[in-house]
Amino acid sequence: VAPNGIDLAVVRALCSEEGVVAATWSDMASVGESVFAVGNPVGLGWTLTKGTVSALRSHDIKNRKATIPVIQTDAAITHGNSGGGLYNGEGKLIGINNFIINPRLANNTGFAIRFSLLRKWDDVPFNVAEY
């Protein structure tokens, strides 16, 4: 539902359960910084993998006129991790796990959409569906 064909959905959930706390976030990410990725790789349930920020890059979206800021990491991001969080060593959300390089070409080369891009969408109308 994100603009420019970016593979990202934003979900708003109402929760009345006590003890549920929203993640804190940070727009800052630095090369060499320790990170951890949370996700559901290949249906194995919630997992955590750790790694390092390898680079801060821009990624061109194929067939679109859009470039997005991404965080490259060696934390294991596999199929099923997309949509999970990438957190810094302080536990602050810095990105949303999004895609990997073909493992035949490069091992442990994953990318997360930088949280700074998400903040730019505060006023962007999304395609909203209620269930």
Side-chain angles (χ1 to χ4, degrees), residues 27-51:
D27 284 341
M28 303 303 294
S30 302
V31 174
E33 178 177 17
S34 294
V35 293
F36 62 92
V38 176
N40 185 22
V42 292
L44 293 174
W46 290 105
T47 64
L48 179 145
T49 58
K50 60 183 179 175

Side-chain angles (χ1 to χ4, degrees), residues 10-11 15 19 25 29 36-37 39 41 46 58 68 76 79 118-119 122 127 131:
V10 177
V11 178
C15 184
W25 52 268
F36 62 92
W46 290 105
S58 293
I68 59 171
H79 296 285
L118 304 178
R119 301 225 341 117
D122 284 345
N127 298 323
Y131 296 93

